[in-house]
Amino acid sequence: MLPLILGAVAGAITGPAIDGWYVHLTKPSFSPPNWIFGPVWTLLYLLMGYSLFRIWRLPATDMRNRALLLFALQLALNIAWSFLFFGLRNPALALGEILVLWVAVAYMLNFFYRIDPPAAWINLPYFGWLSFAVVLNAAYAWLNVWGT
């Protein structure tokens, strides 16, 4: 539930930029329609929450605690991206941050796999969508920042 709640809060705060600044950006041809992001992120945050629950319910060990810390780090980076892209209206800075997020999620998945493989597998759709988001963010940066 925590990822879904934090994602909803970030969306509510940065949402006004979607109807304002964002609609005027040059979009790459493969940019999905705006309506798809809400359902996709809702599903991904629910999956992330379930994987977090699977890790949290494990016996309290150093490995479990490190896994929880890695989850918190990637979630903070996930939320921060919205503020960089939509809040600061900076696709280039957001691209640098989403690359760090991508590495953090990859590391988290590897770590999760070592202590609860299903918790890692559950996050593969997130990692796939995030990989697409990296390419999409790069295209937005190219078309609206560097390509001008």
Side-chain angles (χ1 to χ4, degrees), residues 44-58:
L44 295 176
Y45 284 136
L46 287 170
L47 291 171
M48 290 164 61
Y50 180 60
S51 74
L52 173 62
F53 170 75
R54 290 187 60 89
I55 298 298
W56 176 77
R57 71 172 175 73
L58 295 173

Side-chain angles (χ1 to χ4, degrees), residues 49-118:
Y50 180 60
S51 74
L52 173 62
F53 170 75
R54 290 187 60 89
I55 298 298
W56 176 77
R57 71 172 175 73
L58 295 173
T61 64
D62 285 342
M63 290 283 284
R64 194 259 346 224
N65 293 341
R66 285 177 39 202
L68 292 174
L69 183 61
L70 286 170
F71 185 91
L73 171 66
Q74 71 79 27
L75 185 58
L77 289 167
N78 178 299
I79 301 303
W81 179 87
S82 294
F83 291 99
L84 296 175
F85 191 92
F86 293 108
L88 295 181
R89 301 175 179 185
N90 193 329
L93 183 59
L95 177 59
E97 195 272 353
I98 202 171
L99 289 168
V100 173
L101 171 59
W102 190 86
V103 170
V105 171
Y107 187 74
M108 179 195 76
L109 292 178
N110 184 15
F111 204 85
F112 275 24
Y113 187 78
R114 291 189 275 159
I115 62 173
D116 183 34

